[in-house]
Amino acid sequence: MSQYQRPGLKKIEEFLYHETGLLDRMEIRQWIDLFTDTGDYWMPVTPDQEDPINHISIFYDDRDLMEIRLRHHDNPRSHSKDFTIRSSHVLGNVQIASFDETNGDCQVSCNFQCVMYYRDQQQLYAGTCQYHLRLIDGRYHIQRKRVDLINCDAPHGSIQTYV
Amino acid sequence: MSYSVEDIEKLVEPARVHRKVYTDEEIFDLEMERVWGRTWIFAGHASEVPNGGDYKTFNIGSQSMLMVRNRKNDNISVFYNRCTHKGAKLVGDGKGCAKAFRCPYHAWTFDTEGKLLATPPTKTLETSGFAPDDPEYNLRPAAQVNIYHGFVFVNLDANAEGLHEYFGDSLTSIDNMVERSPEGELEIAGGVLRYRHDCNWKSFVENLNDNMHPMATHQSAIEACQGYAQDLPEGSEVPETVHILGPFGSSYDFFEDMSHVVFKNGHSYSGNKVSIHSAYPPVPDYVDAMETAYGKEKTKEIFSCARHNTVYYPSLTIKGAIQAIRVVRPISVNCTDIETYTFRLKGAPDEMLQRTLLYSRLINSPSSIVGADDLEVYERVQAGLHSHGHDWVSMERQKDHDQPQEDGSIEATGSSELPFRNQYKYWLQLMTNTEAVKIKA
């Protein structure tokens, strides 16, 4: 028998609620620390996009870029971030797509709606998230969070922070 | 109000323009007719429609257009995207490959050369009094179409000067981008980003040759990037992200040296001798491929031309050294879509396209920390120009230091606002031309 047990859905849901809760509270430092050192955040620009390297994406942040983005956000001269960003995520249809009993990794998907508010304007982002979760020292870390907006290929205004 | 020529003349002075040119809907409507209806507008790149029947739609202001690779002769045509029967938009927005174009309303069907093929029902056609073989019923082509190194441009005015004459020596920026391919050919690759800008189209176009804004507008992005790089443990490899964002933090002196060259008809580029794109780390396999294709000397010459943005007024801006282009699609007086496309240099390693895509994601994406601060200032300009407190937008810097060249271009130091003055000189010429546009070739 493997040393790794398939996690219950509740455990996964709790992790996702924690992760999106950090975004909703703009606790970006703690949010970045959920990622592995080689982890990334990817928001493709086309449905079913296969490749973040040889195709353009809306977001494709490694840890370097996450750190730079955080510093930009916190910089007092970051004019596009003068106002508080507020967001509210609702997650549903959480599923464990696969579980690797050799290392405890999970592929998880869920649907989401995220309302984001910035300076008198409210945006609704909705779609599907896929997570590659990696078990490190008994705790889940994110190897990849992929966010597929249902309107990924529409013209977007500035997307102020991670969805 | 209805603008007379005299009214329009009052809006533009040699070094300042009235705020209404950015905020007045009526001016916008006139621009669509007199500026966008009479100049060479970028449609797309030939590599987007490689095979017979391939098409894409695009807009010139309110005009929906259809670019298509003909099945019969492999030429590229551009048509008004309108059924010649009841006027329905013939093809829905987007791209694809078609055997023929069938209108969803009454099934009028056109071939890829624009010829009307079918107008059902055929049974009663002969006695119907309607003659579909009248060429008036074929799709109406744009008055002029011309292709330069695969860049497809259209002009909706048959009276307008030809493409080469219109763009003049500004075309050398496209030449340089093409020469950066070891095979001398470009191919659109890696998809498109569409970024909605709630601002007037001219604010975007002007900013592309505005060398004096990065130090203020992008100070936060620069500090974020430099701070991160400084805090990296000693001996760490510098991430490519830092190589790309870093040069935006160059000094006023550096951007001063990134001098301007302007041409007639509003075109211009900055970074005449040096630019923020001059010093990326070389990709060895790429340099080898270039030297094999062109020889060492010529390769050096090609790379030494690392211009910043070139503006092909009014619809296209390119970065040859990065192989990325931004296309301007005005929606209304205060809304503009910016489309970013990237190119594969044929014969170059994939790494080159990957760097181009990284650049676009960092700078041109709706998530960009650079682009978002640019858009913030454009939107503040759009809001601020509604102020009754002041009517004029100033473009005076270095106005007495233009350096006219023998070839007809004008050069100026990097802090000069010459590119804007040059754009409005042409804008005024177009906007005060009340002659009707000649739609048919």
Side-chain angles (χ1 to χ4, degrees):
Chain A
M1 197 178 147
S2 163
Q3 67 175 112
Y4 299 104
Q5 301 296 316
R6 187 185 179 91
L9 196 56
K10 191 158 171 39
K11 187 176 178 191
I12 295 297
E13 283 175 342
E14 277 170 4
F15 178 82
L16 301 190
Y17 296 155
H18 172 64
E19 183 261 327
T20 50
L22 291 174
L23 288 178
D24 289 346
R25 293 189 299 277
M26 286 304 288
E27 292 174 9
I28 302 296
R29 170 76 272 146
Q30 291 86 332
W31 180 81
I32 293 174
D33 290 338
L34 290 180
F35 286 77
T36 67
D37 288 346
T38 55
D40 56 40
Y41 174 89
W42 181 22
M43 185 187 282
V45 74
T46 60
D48 306 319
Q49 190 176 320
E50 286 174 1
D51 185 349
I53 306 285
N54 294 291
H55 193 286
I56 195 74
S57 301
I58 299 172
F59 280 89
Y60 181 54
D61 284 19
D62 56 10
R63 289 289 298 256
D64 291 325
L65 187 48
M66 289 179 197
E67 298 289 346
I68 292 171
R69 201 182 282 284
L70 175 61
R71 286 170 186 255
H72 175 254
H73 179 268
D74 290 345
N75 190 297
R77 292 205 186 276
S78 167
H79 307 292
S80 62
K81 308 285 182 286
D82 275 357
F83 295 80
T84 309
I85 302 167
R86 298 174 213 156
S87 75
S88 170
H89 281 78
V90 177
L91 311 182
N93 301 41
V94 178
Q95 291 175 350
I96 300 172
S98 68
F99 167 69
D100 186 340
E101 61 176 21
T102 64
N103 57 16
D105 282 15
C106 277
Q107 303 284 344
V108 171
S109 70
C110 71
N111 290 353
F112 74 93
Q113 294 193 357
C114 169
V115 175
M116 200 180 286
Y117 176 80
Y118 183 79
R119 190 175 45 195
D120 295 348
Q121 285 196 1
Q122 192 161 288
Q123 298 286 341
L124 176 63
Y125 299 106
T128 308
C129 284
Q130 292 174 55
Y131 296 80
H132 176 182
L133 301 182
R134 182 154 276 178
L135 200 56
I136 300 171
D137 298 333
R139 300 182 63 162
Y140 282 117
H141 287 73
I142 302 171
Q143 184 60 36
R144 169 164 292 172
K145 177 178 180 182
R146 171 182 173 141
V147 180
D148 282 283
L149 299 180
I150 53 172
N151 63 341
C152 57
D153 44 3
H156 293 281
S158 295
I159 301 179
Q160 297 287 1
T161 187
Y162 299 105
V163 174
Chain B
M1 72 178 278
S2 210
Y3 281 93
S4 68
V5 166
E6 292 72 30
D7 295 331
I8 295 170
E9 281 170 343
K10 282 181 197 148
L11 299 176
V12 177
E13 295 181 0
R16 60 178 200 168
V17 298
H18 195 280
R19 64 191 176 95
K20 279 187 178 171
V21 307
Y22 302 91
T23 59
D24 192 317
E25 285 174 27
E26 210 179 311
I27 289 286
F28 178 83
D29 291 343
L30 281 174
E31 282 177 336
M32 291 306 105
E33 200 180 304
R34 296 179 185 176
V35 178
W36 292 73
R38 250 188 215 139
T39 53
W40 285 92
I41 305 297
F42 180 69
H45 193 264
S47 61
E48 292 180 89
V49 288
N51 304 308
D54 288 349
Y55 68 86
K56 72 172 259 187
T57 63
F58 66 100
N59 272 44
I60 303 178
S62 61
Q63 309 290 301
S64 177
M65 308 299 293
L66 173 64
M67 171 169 109
V68 57
R69 174 84 66 173
N70 302 344
R71 282 182 172 273
K72 279 188 191 131
N73 57 16
D74 213 37
N75 288 342
I76 290 173
S77 301
V78 177
F79 301 107
Y80 288 85
N81 185 13
R82 175 213 195 269
C83 180
T84 52
H85 179 207
K86 298 273 283 186
K89 195 163 157 178
L90 183 64
V91 181
D93 288 334
K95 56 192 290 186
C97 185
K99 283 203 171 97
F101 300 109
R102 180 180 183 265
C103 180
Y105 200 176
H106 303 94
W108 283 32
T109 302
F110 304 85
D111 68 15
T112 55
E113 287 74 42
K115 190 175 182 314
L116 180 59
L117 296 176
T119 55
T122 45
K123 210 170 147 188
T124 52
L125 184 62
E126 226 167 275
T127 56
S128 70
F130 155 56
D133 53 354
D134 182 340
E136 275 295 298
Y137 284 121
N138 294 334
L139 291 182
R140 171 66 46 81
Q144 300 190 62
V145 179
N146 206 337
I147 303 177
Y148 188 77
H149 285 304
F151 288 72
V152 183
F153 290 94
V154 297
N155 198 311
L156 300 182
D157 184 5
N159 285 331
E161 63 186 328
L163 177 121
H164 291 84
E165 206 187 337
Y166 177 72
F167 287 123
D169 286 342
S170 69
L171 290 172
T172 52
S173 293
I174 292 182
D175 296 342
N176 178 255
M177 179 149 75
V178 173
E179 281 187 321
R180 282 168 179 267
S181 153
E183 293 174 18
E185 228 177 302
L186 301 172
E187 181 178 46
I188 285 216
V192 55
L193 276 176
R194 297 199 291 160
Y195 194 171
R196 176 143 297 177
H197 283 44
D198 286 329
C199 70
N200 188 268
W201 65 271
K202 297 189 291 300
S203 294
F204 177 84
V205 173
E206 288 170 33
N207 192 59
L208 279 269
N209 280 166
D210 185 322
N211 284 4
M212 292 295 113
H213 82 282
M215 312 72 183
T217 308
H218 303 309
Q219 185 182 344
S220 54
I222 293 156
E223 287 176 358
C225 173
Q226 287 172 345
Y228 180 66
Q230 276 159 15
D231 289 350
L232 283 171
E234 216 167 302
S236 315
E237 200 183 327
V238 178
E240 199 155 11
T241 306
V242 171
H243 286 303
I244 286 177
L245 288 172
F248 281 82
S250 302
S251 64
Y252 274 106
D253 285 346
F254 184 89
F255 278 95
E256 190 77 77
D257 290 341
M258 256 177 64
S259 55
H260 298 290
V261 180
V262 309
F263 304 90
K264 68 166 188 167
N265 301 340
H267 317 307
S268 56
Y269 64 81
S270 63
N272 189 16
K273 303 278 189 309
V274 66
S275 87
I276 58 169
H277 306 309
S278 295
Y280 297 129
V283 176
D285 288 352
Y286 170 56
V287 177
D288 288 350
M290 286 292 285
E291 287 179 351
T292 307
Y294 295 102
K296 272 195 175 174
E297 191 98 335
K298 176 73 179 167
T299 300
K300 209 174 147 195
E301 185 194 318
I302 293 167
F303 289 162
S304 72
C305 174
R307 293 172 186 170
H308 184 219
N309 294 300
T310 300
V311 172
Y312 291 99
Y313 195 78
S315 69
L316 174 69
T317 77
I318 77 162
K319 276 184 189 297
I322 290 289
Q323 302 99 48
I325 63 171
R326 281 177 281 179
V327 183
V328 183
R329 304 290 189 205
I331 311 271
S332 66
V333 70
N334 52 17
C335 184
T336 309
D337 275 353
I338 304 300
E339 300 171 352
T340 298
Y341 295 88
T342 41
F343 287 94
R344 181 195 302 282
L345 298 169
K346 283 197 181 173
D350 289 347
E351 228 175 316
M352 292 303 293
L353 175 65
Q354 290 163 4
R355 186 167 77 183
T356 300
L357 289 164
L358 172 65
Y359 182 93
S360 273
R361 215 166 53 237
L362 289 173
I363 311 298
N364 302 330
S365 160
S367 76
S368 164
I369 60 173
V370 173
D373 283 335
D374 277 325
L375 179 52
E376 177 68 20
V377 295
Y378 308 152
E379 290 182 358
R380 288 198 195 188
V381 165
Q382 198 64 26
L385 289 176
H386 283 280
S387 163
H388 295 301
H390 207 298
D391 277 337
W392 294 93
V393 174
S394 166
M395 300 171 178
E396 291 195 294
R397 193 175 280 267
Q398 303 285 2
K399 68 178 173 186
D400 298 324
H401 300 284
D402 294 352
Q403 302 152 34
Q405 306 294 301
E406 269 178 26
D407 61 8
S409 66
I410 306 172
E411 295 187 10
T413 182
S415 66
S416 176
E417 291 177 316
L418 170 64
F420 321 147
R421 297 192 291 271
N422 188 56
Q423 285 165 20
Y424 280 100
K425 185 178 161 194
Y426 183 52
W427 184 91
L428 186 62
Q429 184 189 321
L430 290 165
M431 288 289 281
T432 52
N433 179 355
T434 55
E435 244 175 76
V437 166
K438 194 177 166 217
I439 288 166
K440 277 202 218 177

